[in-house]
Amino acid sequence: PMIREVHGLGTLVPEDTMLITATTDGRVERILVKPGTPVKADSVVMILSSPELQVSLLDAEFAQRAAEADYKNLEVTLHKTLLDLRSTAAQTSADYNTAKLESDRDTALAKENLLANTDARISQVKAQQLGAKYEIDKERLQINDAAEQAQLEAQKVKVDQLRGEYELKKQQVDQLKVRAGFEGMLQSVPPPLTPVEEGQKVAAGTALGKVAQPSHLKAELKIAETQIKDVAPGQLAVIDTRLAGGGSNGLIEGHVSRIEQSIVNGTVTVDVALKGALPPGSRPDLSVDGTIQLQKLDDVVYVGKPVYGQENAAVTLFKIEPDGKYANKVKVTFGVQSVNTIEVKEGLKVGDRVILSDMSQFDQYDRIKLN
């Protein structure tokens, strides 16, 4: 069996990171936490100042209070208007009932010829007029309820709007105390960004720091673009941290989790998710060596990769004779390749020994003697 693999160098990077940015314009007053310090989500890492924002907060607070006072005043005014309407309607009702009684009395007297018909008629008209006015007053009361509700709703919308503006300003002032955001390790802003200093003015959106969780790391490998075509998510990988002195037990298993689409400097970035506990000394930015398993081939002939051996190519190699004294030139056809081995399609069989180093200086010879 032959394992097809690709190889790449890279670094360990945190899986979860968050860039801390300024939410408003301000001036750096104090830096409380330096990079490399563990932080909690609510840890204050630096304090900004903004006199303009403080003034805006006071203006927003006063505007909210004024709107709330206007709302209370409107409530009182509308309630007074309601009481006036009720009083008017009650008076009209009383006048109408009195006029109706007088009309009934005058009508009865007129039938007995004790009162002129004209006077009785006048009493009837007066009662009818007051009755109509009473109906209008009742309708006015009903309409007033809807009008009162509409005015209060309009004023309440204004109060809510100003309260929202005040809460926003208050939140912005609170955010002048820049917090980490989540638990992890505070780090400097990544290049090409520049770390901020005390006394420096910063604009909204300026990067102030970065928080990473060093216990959750992944490997970012740089794979040559000529070898990336067979790499796929889910493939097994082994990451070796011993490249940077990670000790004898520096191997970590994992699998390919993401493949970058862009090519930078002839390489493609491949993310490897790691499994199990990390070896001692594993930390962000640690240099690592990674190997990704592409395919397992069963029952194939393969050999160590020659200096000029290429995948699916035909080359000439010197095969060593059984006695080890001479080597003969043979034509070999290769198949797929791995990091250090390559498949042999034709020209060699199991047990053959060949010279893998550069033998181009002997290309004109078919047979050479070995010292």
Side-chain angles (χ1 to χ4, degrees), residues 137-241:
D137 287 347
K138 288 196 297 182
E139 186 176 353
R140 187 178 297 167
L141 271 174
Q142 294 176 351
I143 294 175
N144 180 77
D145 289 339
E148 178 179 334
Q149 190 66 27
Q151 292 182 68
L152 289 175
E153 286 293 334
Q155 185 63 29
K156 187 175 184 300
V157 168
K158 184 177 180 181
V159 171
D160 291 341
Q161 177 186 358
L162 293 175
R163 182 180 292 121
E165 293 178 2
Y166 169 68
E167 292 296 332
L168 176 61
K169 296 296 183 183
K170 186 177 179 182
Q171 183 180 6
Q172 288 177 336
V173 169
D174 181 67
Q175 288 173 346
L176 291 175
K177 293 181 179 179
V178 181
R179 290 175 168 80
F182 70 90
E183 185 175 355
M185 184 74 70
L186 182 66
Q187 299 179 343
S188 299
V189 293
L193 302 176
T194 305
V196 297
E197 299 177 353
E198 291 184 354
Q200 178 181 341
K201 278 195 170 184
V202 295
T206 301
L208 304 177
K210 185 175 75 168
V211 179
Q213 292 186 337
S215 59
H216 298 84
L217 300 177
K218 65 180 179 180
E220 280 189 357
L221 301 180
K222 304 296 183 182
I223 305 298
E225 60 178 313
T226 56
Q227 300 178 332
I228 198 66
K229 60 184 180 65
D230 294 325
V231 178
Q235 291 174 338
L236 298 179
V238 176
I239 305 301
D240 190 349
T241 64

Side-chain angles (χ1 to χ4, degrees), residues 114-326:
L114 298 176
L115 184 69
N117 289 331
T118 302
D119 293 336
R121 183 61 181 164
I122 291 173
S123 296
Q124 292 176 359
V125 171
K126 182 180 179 181
Q128 291 173 356
Q129 181 182 8
L130 288 172
K133 185 175 183 301
Y134 177 56
E135 293 297 327
I136 293 174
D137 287 347
K138 288 196 297 182
E139 186 176 353
R140 187 178 297 167
L141 271 174
Q142 294 176 351
I143 294 175
N144 180 77
D145 289 339
E148 178 179 334
Q149 190 66 27
Q151 292 182 68
L152 289 175
E153 286 293 334
Q155 185 63 29
K156 187 175 184 300
V157 168
K158 184 177 180 181
V159 171
D160 291 341
Q161 177 186 358
L162 293 175
R163 182 180 292 121
E165 293 178 2
Y166 169 68
E167 292 296 332
L168 176 61
K169 296 296 183 183
K170 186 177 179 182
Q171 183 180 6
Q172 288 177 336
V173 169
D174 181 67
Q175 288 173 346
L176 291 175
K177 293 181 179 179
V178 181
R179 290 175 168 80
F182 70 90
E183 185 175 355
M185 184 74 70
L186 182 66
Q187 299 179 343
S188 299
V189 293
L193 302 176
T194 305
V196 297
E197 299 177 353
E198 291 184 354
Q200 178 181 341
K201 278 195 170 184
V202 295
T206 301
L208 304 177
K210 185 175 75 168
V211 179
Q213 292 186 337
S215 59
H216 298 84
L217 300 177
K218 65 180 179 180
E220 280 189 357
L221 301 180
K222 304 296 183 182
I223 305 298
E225 60 178 313
T226 56
Q227 300 178 332
I228 198 66
K229 60 184 180 65
D230 294 325
V231 178
Q235 291 174 338
L236 298 179
V238 176
I239 305 301
D240 190 349
T241 64
R242 292 173 294 186
L243 183 66
S248 58
N249 187 24
L251 298 180
I252 318 172
E253 292 186 352
H255 66 274
V256 176
S257 59
R258 187 184 71 93
I259 303 173
E260 183 67 54
Q261 296 299 311
S262 59
I263 300 174
V264 179
N265 298 327
T267 63
V268 176
T269 300
V270 176
D271 287 354
V272 175
L274 307 178
K275 299 186 295 184
L278 299 178
S282 299
R283 62 186 185 275
D285 300 325
L286 180 70
S287 297
V288 296
D289 187 342
T291 303
I292 301 174
Q293 181 177 319
L294 303 179
Q295 183 184 16
K296 183 178 181 181
L297 302 176
D298 294 323
D299 195 22
V300 297
V301 177
Y302 67 94
V303 69
K305 187 188 297 184
V307 173
Y308 297 109
Q310 297 295 329
E311 190 172 86
N312 298 317
V315 299
T316 56
L317 296 177
F318 280 96
K319 183 173 71 171
I320 302 174
E321 294 181 356
D323 58 8
K325 296 181 179 181
Y326 293 90

